[in-house]
């Protein structure tokens, strides 16, 4: 059994999509980051960086309890554990890791900053809005150029697609019209049609 500590955000949903895709049994522990649940001593013992997602695999390597944070590391671990969504062949594997790193180092942080300055900053900061929305569009252009000639980010559907999808799903938040990036839109519709993706995007379930 895997314990998943998550919230209704793109980084959390990467992991719930992967758990749904691999059909590993898991339990959801909602960590309400708006309320500050990520700062409790119990959660900090799992992720000292006070961010979701994190997992505890009760049946980790060598049958021992294993805890892990950072969504990219969790996706790699679950791919290792199940042998799925990370090709074994060397070039295909490193191309997958390349696009996963592109998501972790580019898409996530830059879209995240765009969201912050467009939606959450206490006062408008035009320089920051311009910087992060421009960088977001630049990243879409890179994705669009690649996806114009490739069905998926790597040769097949992988953890790189799983990592990127929930961020593109927030395209309205960062004010991107997918019609401007037709290859991304085609890819987005393909990924979004997968039942496991649809299920993973509903985690954690809304309460109240
Ligand atoms: N690089 C981390 C980023 C995780 C992250 O930024 N999580 C956000 C939600 S998407 C969070 O927990 N924020 C809580 C906080 O900043 O206190 C990962 O990919 O796991």
């Amino acid at each position: 059994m895997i314990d998943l500590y998550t919230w209704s955000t793109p980084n959390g949903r990467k992991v719930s999509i992967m758990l749904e895709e691999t059909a590993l049994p898991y339990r959801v522990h909602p960590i309400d980051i708006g309320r500050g649940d990520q700062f409790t001593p119990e959660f900090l013992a799992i992720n000292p960086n006070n961010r979701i997602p994190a997992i505890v695999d009760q049946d980790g390597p060598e049958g021992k309890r294993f805890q892990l944070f950072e969504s990219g590391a969790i996706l790699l671990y679950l791919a290792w554990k199940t042998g799925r969504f990370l090709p074994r062949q060397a070039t295909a594997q490193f191309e997958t890791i390349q696009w996963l790193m592109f998501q972790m180092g580019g898409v996530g942080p830059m879209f995240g900053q765009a969201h912050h300055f467009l939606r959450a900053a206490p006062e408008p900061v035009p320089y920051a809005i311009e910087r992060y929305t421009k960088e977001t569009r630049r990243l879409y252009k890179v994705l669009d150029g690649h996806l114009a000639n490739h069905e998926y980010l790597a040769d097949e559907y992988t953890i790189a697609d799983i990592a990127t999808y929930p961020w593109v799903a927030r395209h309205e938040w960062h004010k991107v019209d997918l019609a401007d990036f037709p290859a991304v839109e085609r890819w987005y519709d393909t990924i979004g049609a997968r039942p496991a993706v649809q299920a993973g995007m509903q985690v954690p379930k809304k309460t109240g």
Side-chain angles (χ1 to χ4, degrees):
M1 177 62 75
I2 292 180
D3 288 292
L4 168 64
Y5 296 81
T6 194
W7 194 238
S8 48
T9 69
N11 287 324
R13 281 165 174 170
K14 295 173 195 175
V15 179
S16 46
I17 290 172
M18 182 65 170
L19 288 165
E20 292 289 335
E21 289 282 13
T22 52
L24 286 165
Y26 71 103
R27 269 188 301 247
V28 177
H29 303 265
I31 301 294
D32 183 341
I33 59 173
R35 195 173 63 185
D37 291 0
Q38 70 275 34
F39 299 107
T40 63
E42 295 76 22
F43 184 70
L44 289 172
I46 296 168
N47 185 356
N49 193 35
N50 62 265
R51 276 167 169 62
I52 63 92
I55 61 166
V56 178
D57 185 353
Q58 305 298 342
D59 183 25
E62 294 156 25
K64 293 189 189 135
R65 180 186 180 283
F66 180 55
Q67 63 184 49
L68 201 59
F69 62 88
E70 281 295 327
S71 58
I74 297 171
L75 291 177
L76 286 164
Y77 171 68
L78 296 175
W80 170 84
K81 184 178 171 81
T82 59
R84 304 205 50 207
F85 307 114
L86 179 63
R88 276 165 204 264
Q89 194 269 335
T91 54
Q93 182 171 124
F94 283 104
E95 278 166 12
T96 303
I97 293 171
Q98 164 190 272
W99 286 107
L100 178 67
M101 297 296 161
F102 176 83
Q103 189 289 309
M104 293 297 296
V107 168
M110 295 301 119
F111 292 16
Q113 291 301 320
H115 295 171
H116 177 79
F117 286 105
L118 285 165
R119 299 170 61 94
E123 64 203 45
V125 185
Y127 174 78
I129 292 173
E130 156 83 5
R131 176 177 166 86
Y132 293 114
T133 52
K134 207 169 146 197
E135 177 62 0
T136 293
R137 289 190 79 80
R138 190 190 68 78
L139 292 166
Y140 268 88
K141 205 164 161 231
V142 174
L143 289 170
D144 203 56
H146 181 73
L147 290 167
N149 306 308
H150 299 84
E151 191 176 359
Y152 298 107
L153 289 173
D155 275 1
E156 56 192 83
Y157 176 65
T158 65
I159 52 174
D161 301 295
I162 292 173
T164 308
Y165 177 86
W167 282 100
V168 174
R170 289 262 161 103
H171 55 95
E172 285 174 5
W173 283 31
H174 43 258
K175 298 196 187 302
V176 162
D177 182 353
L178 288 188
D180 294 345
F181 302 98
V184 174
E185 189 169 39
R186 189 265 312 146
W187 167 89
Y188 177 72
D189 291 343
T190 304
I191 308 286
R194 297 177 70 92
V197 171
Q198 291 169 10
M201 290 295 287
Q202 301 305 316
V203 175
K205 283 198 174 30
K206 282 198 187 102
T207 52

